[in-house]
Amino acid sequence: MEQVIDAVWGLYNGFTGWTPPRETMATVVFFSVLASVLITYFTAGSRMFTVPICFIVLFVAGLFSNYIGREYHFPGTSEMQHAIIYSVPGQMLAGFILLVILKTASSNNSG
């Protein structure tokens, strides 16, 4: 158990000390905004509450997945493409969790 805690703590310390490239940051921000609006369209509750929460969670998830993949580059890809490739899995997982936690809105169409 101690080894797991040390590994998680080391990953956290590395992530907090990492400075992402400007293009990666801009790409993650852009996709976080789009995904936040899309996710809040499907959730119940106040948009003023859900949009900022979704943005923060998706932004951190996108940056964290880029941090994990920072050493692996696909041949022939730009920094923006690299950021997109690594942001998608992290943001998909975070988006699914957000939809479960925030509860999806139900349709009131009764026929």
Side-chain angles (χ1 to χ4, degrees):
M1 184 67 173
E2 187 176 324
Q3 291 175 340
V4 172
I5 293 172
D6 289 342
V8 170
W9 189 251
L11 192 61
Y12 172 76
N13 284 335
F15 176 65
T16 56
W18 177 62
T19 304
R22 181 174 292 167
E23 196 166 276
T24 299
M25 183 73 81
T27 303
V28 172
V29 166
F30 177 75
F31 280 98
S32 296
V33 168
L34 288 178
S36 296
V37 171
L38 183 66
I39 287 174
T40 55
Y41 177 76
F42 293 106
T43 59
S46 171
R47 302 289 187 246
M48 290 183 65
F49 175 72
T50 55
V51 171
I53 289 174
C54 288
F55 174 78
I56 291 167
V57 170
L58 291 168
F59 179 71
V60 171
L63 278 183
F64 186 72
S65 58
N66 270 283
Y67 169 72
I68 291 173
R70 73 192 180 282
E71 295 177 6
Y72 306 104
H73 293 277
F74 295 104
T77 59
S78 67
E79 190 67 36
M80 180 183 284
Q81 291 167 332
H82 175 78
I84 293 169
I85 289 168
Y86 286 116
S87 292
V88 168
Q91 288 186 341
M92 284 176 59
L93 180 63
F96 178 74
I97 293 169
L98 284 167
L99 284 173
V100 168
I101 291 173
L102 296 175
K103 298 184 176 82
T104 56
S106 60
S107 175
N108 290 332
N109 297 338
S110 56

